[in-house]
Amino acid sequence: MVLCWIVVFLHMIAPTILVVEDDSSVRRGVVDALTYTGYQVISAADGKEGREMALTARYDLMLLDLILPNFTGFEILEALGKSRPGQAVIILSAKGEEDDRVKGLKLGADDYVVKPFSARELLARVDAVLRRATERHPLSEQY
């Protein structure tokens, strides 16, 4: 029981964010900004690794690119919706057309950020989505 509370406490202090992004410079910048801000970060460099981590890893929020090798971000979102409904997701994509934004949101994303974006804006959106996700599902109840 004590160990359970320690794990919950650690997650409350530093949520874990999964970054799925194939562009190494974008991934590194996002990971660095999140780490500097105090988040725990895990990352994947392609759709195959990202899909596996999205479905099996323990994290509080996923930042997901749409254009990925092996599996697209939309395919990852579809799989996630079947196995982990309600998982917090922010899409990060150069695909800024309305149809893409609407499709991503309908597949379960909580937010959609069009590249290029500033670290300041991304961090504000991460904080907002995590705040809402915690209100829906306390971190102790997440996967």
Side-chain angles (χ1 to χ4, degrees):
M1 182 70 167
V2 173
L3 180 58
C4 179
W5 283 108
I6 291 171
V7 170
V8 169
F9 181 72
L10 289 175
H11 273 280
M12 289 175 63
I13 293 174
T16 300
I17 300 176
L18 169 59
V19 178
V20 182
E21 169 64 63
D22 64 320
D23 183 318
S24 61
S25 62
V26 173
R27 186 176 61 253
R28 182 80 260 149
V30 170
V31 168
D32 287 349
L34 292 167
T35 302
Y36 180 78
T37 306
Y39 292 108
Q40 296 180 38
V41 184
I42 54 178
S43 64
D46 64 42
K48 183 178 180 185
E49 181 184 20
R51 184 178 187 276
E52 178 158 339
M53 291 179 79
L55 298 176
T56 62
R58 185 177 180 93
Y59 59 93
D60 302 298
L61 169 65
M62 176 170 50
L63 303 182
L64 178 64
D65 188 13
L66 291 179
I67 304 171
L68 297 164
N70 303 314
F71 289 100
T72 69
F74 288 135
E75 291 171 323
I76 293 171
L77 269 176
E78 287 174 6
L80 192 64
K82 292 174 185 172
S83 67
R84 294 171 85 159
Q87 174 63 57
V89 177
I90 298 175
I91 293 173
L92 308 177
S93 183
K95 296 180 73 163
E97 291 76 29
E98 181 181 17
D99 286 345
D100 293 319
R101 294 190 313 264
V102 170
K103 182 177 181 179
L105 294 168
K106 283 188 171 189
L107 285 173
D110 296 278
D111 201 351
Y112 194 115
V113 180
V114 178
K115 297 175 189 175
F117 51 83
S118 71
R120 184 174 167 221
E121 177 187 4
L122 178 62
L123 292 171
R125 289 175 182 267
V126 164
D127 288 344
V129 169
L130 283 172
R131 184 174 53 250
R132 288 191 303 270
T134 303
E135 290 168 359
R136 282 192 315 245
H137 306 284
L139 294 175
S140 63
E141 295 177 11
Q142 291 188 3
Y143 311 97

